Amino acid sequence: MTTVESIVTKEHLSGDYTALLAALAEPSDRAHNVSCLDFAELVPELWLVNADGQAIKVQWPLDGCEHSKPDTAKALAGLTVTDTTTLVGKTNPW
């Protein structure tokens, strides 16, 4: 049996979360007969964790071409990384 090592970087962000929460509250757009550019976009997983340690994985709002809307990335850039941890796990891909 083959195992695969997964590496995840966990960052704790500090600052005013108002812009991030507003960006995440935006609904994704529906595609309406639009012409889209075809490009790969790597959007990191985003988890929000409350003071009790409860976490929820959130979906980045998408435009009509299923690319991330820019406000989420802009809001994240406005926060400060105060702690970084690298986590290593092993999984069986099959």
Side-chain angles (χ1 to χ4, degrees):
M1 181 181 292
T2 303
T3 59
V4 176
E5 198 169 82
S6 299
I7 299 173
V8 175
T9 301
K10 179 177 88 170
E11 295 179 334
H12 181 267
L13 304 174
S14 294
D16 184 354
Y17 282 81
T18 304
L20 177 61
L21 295 175
L24 292 172
E26 286 293 316
S28 291
D29 298 336
R30 293 181 185 218
H32 291 287
N33 242 356
V34 295
S35 178
C36 297
L37 293 174
D38 187 18
F39 62 88
E41 180 180 25
L42 299 176
V43 178
E45 285 189 13
L46 181 59
W47 291 78
L48 299 180
V49 183
N50 68 13
D52 293 330
Q54 297 170 316
I56 183 170
K57 182 180 174 187
V58 295
Q59 170 69 46
W60 292 53
L62 304 175
D63 65 17
C65 294
E66 295 193 7
H67 299 128
S68 66
K69 290 184 174 183
D71 288 346
T72 303
K74 287 179 192 174
L76 287 169
L79 298 172
T80 303
V81 177
T82 56
D83 184 45
T84 301
T85 306
T86 300
L87 307 170
V88 179
K90 295 184 187 280
T91 60
N92 180 352
W94 298 277

